Structure formats: structure tokens, C-alpha cells
């Protein structure tokens, strides 16, 4: 695979390296930025498994890297972290004058509607292009897990459910589990995918989990803050728990008293998620 990566920055962290790169994406037709944390084991020649992290609305690759505090445990576990941006960006890329649509709000779908369809192909980017690039250019194995927060929690769950066998496990913090039924998702899906709700089902984790055939082995861990102001209207994690219980799916939902939607919440439980993924990646 021939790919030109521009190194934007490189920092030592917990014996490994945190690096940011820009490259030209065939999926989005734009330059894309991503970050990768390479744990110390990679310096000794080991190929390590990868945890992909999908961020939420208004984020880029830097929110998780600077706020979640994941690098220390990733270094201990020998886990690489890959952190893509949340949408294509740039002057020639469609945008909206609001935080929950357009740049910073790609919702990890392949848009089919104008003006979004030209560049908003984040599903192809995170499922195919970025892993192929990472596995060609860095000392990583083909073992993958995926996690994310809010819009990124929707992305992680949806991508893992749509691609059985591709990820050892999936986890999420305060995910949008049923985007087809809540305001954030309905705005994004009607804009990016159009008004035909049949097209939305392929990106809705509750519907995907209810209909998955055959049943894959995909352990799911979800943490949700009980004081998260978005929980009642936008998140509704119990809907995915109910769908999972009807199919004996291995889903653990933990409601965390007092926690809100912020990265303080993510930072409080990221260690549990990293250990959950490391155990499943080693199984
Ligand atoms: N109205 C807010 C909403 C932005 C927000 O809360 N973004 C969250 C993700 S929400 C769902 O995807 C986030 O992760 N923000 C970045 C951070 O570093 O906290 C606003 O625009 O402020």
C-alpha cells in the first residue's frame, strides 16, 4: 500500500509515542488528520493490537488524546490507540452553522445526499481506509477493538455490529444507541441519508443488534453517567440493553451515579474499557 503520511507532531508518552499525521483520504477526497499512540512494546519490535477511538460532536483527534488519560494504561497493556477526526474538514467541504451537523459531526456514515455526499464518507474511512493504512504503516497486528463517546459511541457500536469478526470487542461512553429515534440522529440522518428511513436502519445500533444474523461473538461494554443531561432525549442506553437481552447478547451497561457527559466521565472509566478490550483481544 502506497500512502504519503505527513507527520504533524510527535511526543514521548509513558515510554511510547503519541504522533499526529495528515494524509490524503481516498474515502473523503480531503486531507484527514489522525493520531496514533504507539506503546513502548512497539519499540522492541512487537506488533500490538489496536483500539480505534471515535470521538463525539465538535471533537477532532485531540480531545480524547489530551483529556481521557488513556496512554498510561495503553502503555502497560501494549495497546496502540488510533484516534481519527470526526468528519472531513476544509473550505471546500459542506458545513452547517450548528455544532451537531457538518464539520465535526460526520456521524460515521457515508452520506448520499447533496451537498454532503461529496466528502462525508466517514464509514468507509474508519472501517476500511484508516485500518488498512495503520496496518501498512505502523507496527500493529490485525487485531482490532473499537470504542467511542456519544456520537463516537454510536459510531463504534454501529461499525462493530455491521462488521462481525472485525473487532474483538466494542465499548462506548454515553453512546447514541438509536440515532434513528432521537433528535441528534434524526437531523444527521435526514441530512446525510435523506428522508427514506430504510437507509437509516443500516446505521442504527438498536436495529442492527435486533436483526444481526448470524449472532456474532461481540462483547459490548457501555458506561453511562446518570447525571448526563443528554441521556433522556439523545442517548437512551436502556434501549440497546433491552434489544441485547432479547437475544442473550453479552452486553454490560453500567450506570454511573453523579457523572455527566464530559471527558471527566470518560477519564474516570477509560482504564476499565482498555482492560476489557485487552482481555478480549487476547482471548
Ligand atoms: N452543545 C455542546 C455540545 C458539544 C458536546 O458536548 N460535545 C461532546 C460530545 S457530544 C456527542 O457527541 C464532546 O465530546 N465535546 C468535546 C470535549 O472535549 O468535551 C457544545 O457545543 O458545547
Amino acid at each position: 500500500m502506497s500512502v504519503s503520511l505527513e507527520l504533524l507532531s510527535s511526543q514521548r508518552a509513558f515510554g511510547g509515542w503519541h504522533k499526529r499525521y495528515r494524509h490524503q483520504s481516498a474515502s473523503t477526497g480531503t486531507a484527514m488528520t489522525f493520531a496514533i499512540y504507539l506503546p513502548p512494546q512497539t519499540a522492541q519490535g512487537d506488533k500490538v493490537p489496536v483500539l480505534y477511538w471515535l470521538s463525539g460532536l465538535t471533537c477532532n483527534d485531540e480531545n480524547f488524546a489530551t483529556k481521557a488519560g488513556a496512554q498510561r494504561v495503553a502503555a502497560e497493556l501494549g495497546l496502540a490507540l488510533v484516534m481519527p477526526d470526526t468528519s472531513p474538514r476544509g473550505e471546500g467541504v459542506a458545513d452547517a452553522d450548528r455544532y451537531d451537523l457538518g464539520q465535526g459531526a460526520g456521524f460515521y456514515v457515508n452520506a448520499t445526499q447533496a451537498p454532503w455526499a461529496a466528502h462525508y464518507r466517514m464509514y468507509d474511512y474508519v472501517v476500511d481506509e484508516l485500518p488498512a493504512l495503520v496496518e501498512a504503516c505502523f507496527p500493529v497486528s490485525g487485531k482490532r477493538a473499537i470504542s467511542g463517546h456519544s456520537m463516537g459511541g454510536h459510531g463504534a457500536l454501529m461499525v462493530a455490529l455491521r462488521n462481525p469478526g472485525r473487532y474483538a470487542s466494542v465499548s462506548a461512553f454515553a453512546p447514541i444507541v438509536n440515532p434513528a429515534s432521537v433528535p441528534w440522529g434524526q437531523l444527521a440522518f435526514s441530512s446525510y441519508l435523506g428522508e427514506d428511513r430504510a437507509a437509516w436502519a443500516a446505521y442504527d445500533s438498536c436495529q442492527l443488534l435486533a436483526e444481526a444474523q448470524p449472532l456474532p461473538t461481540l462483547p459490548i461494554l457501555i458506561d453511562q453517567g446518570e447525571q448526563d443531561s443528554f441521556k433522556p432525549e439523545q442517548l437512551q442506553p436502556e434501549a440497546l440493553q433491552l434489544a441485547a437481552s432479547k437475544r442473550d447478547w453479552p452486553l454490560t451497561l453500567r450506570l454511573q451515579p453523579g457523572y455527566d457527559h464530559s471527558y471527566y466521565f470518560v477519564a474516570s472509566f477509560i482504564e476499565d474499557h482498555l482492560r476489557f478490550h485487552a482481555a478480549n483481544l487476547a482471548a
Side-chain angles (χ1 to χ4, degrees):
M1 181 186 193
S2 164
V3 62
S4 175
L5 285 179
E6 179 189 355
L7 181 63
L8 301 176
S9 62
S10 178
Q11 264 98 30
R12 203 89 209 265
F14 297 98
W17 291 92
H18 182 85
K19 295 169 183 276
R20 298 182 72 224
Y21 291 94
R22 182 160 49 214
H23 71 110
Q24 191 60 29
S25 165
S27 305
T28 66
T30 65
M32 291 294 291
T33 300
F34 72 91
I36 184 167
Y37 176 68
L38 293 167
Q41 293 81 353
T42 56
Q44 296 147 20
D46 295 355
K47 287 195 164 194
V48 298
V50 180
L51 176 66
Y52 290 85
W53 173 267
L54 304 185
S55 284
L57 295 166
T58 73
C59 293
N60 59 23
D61 65 285
E62 296 186 290
N63 300 71
F64 179 76
T66 57
K67 294 183 175 180
Q71 292 91 344
R72 178 182 61 81
V73 178
E76 178 201 320
L77 297 172
L79 203 51
L81 307 171
V82 172
M83 296 144 273
D85 203 344
T86 55
S87 77
R89 295 181 194 269
E91 280 191 9
V93 176
D95 202 1
D97 193 17
R98 50 187 301 154
Y99 77 93
D100 49 2
L101 189 70
Q103 297 188 31
F107 267 82
Y108 304 101
V109 304
N110 288 336
T112 56
Q113 305 299 303
W116 313 103
H119 298 293
Y120 283 73
R121 301 192 63 83
M122 289 301 290
Y123 181 84
D124 283 355
Y125 181 69
V126 300
V127 172
D128 295 320
E129 183 175 2
L130 186 60
L133 181 160
V134 165
E135 287 163 25
C137 299
F138 298 97
V140 300
S141 70
K143 289 192 164 189
R144 312 174 197 97
I146 190 162
S147 184
H149 173 224
S150 196
M151 175 185 73
H154 139 71
L157 291 163
M158 174 273 291
V159 158
L161 288 165
R162 280 181 62 154
N163 293 276
R166 201 168 169 82
Y167 303 93
S169 45
V170 57
S171 74
F173 294 80
I176 307 166
V177 299
N178 50 358
S181 306
V182 302
W184 272 342
Q186 288 169 338
L187 172 72
F189 285 7
S190 59
S191 303
Y192 299 147
L193 305 174
E195 296 301 338
D196 177 8
R197 284 178 172 248
W200 300 12
Y203 294 107
D204 185 285
S205 292
C206 282
Q207 294 187 52
L208 288 166
L209 195 148
E211 290 157 17
Q213 290 293 347
L215 278 184
T217 306
L218 177 67
I220 302 176
L221 172 64
I222 296 176
D223 271 311
Q224 172 65 60
E226 284 189 340
Q227 297 305 312
D228 183 335
S229 59
F230 295 121
K231 179 175 179 286
E233 191 181 18
Q234 307 279 12
L235 306 173
Q236 305 173 356
E238 292 88 353
L240 193 67
Q241 187 183 44
L242 179 63
S245 70
K246 288 181 181 167
R247 306 201 69 185
D248 291 328
W249 199 289
L251 183 151
T252 301
L253 169 63
R254 307 191 309 186
L255 298 176
Q256 304 291 2
Y259 287 87
D260 65 13
H261 196 67
S262 70
Y263 265 92
Y264 291 101
F265 160 61
V266 175
S268 300
F269 299 103
I270 190 67
E271 178 168 354
D272 293 356
H273 287 237
L274 295 177
R275 294 192 187 283
F276 164 77
H277 289 298
N280 283 294
L281 285 160

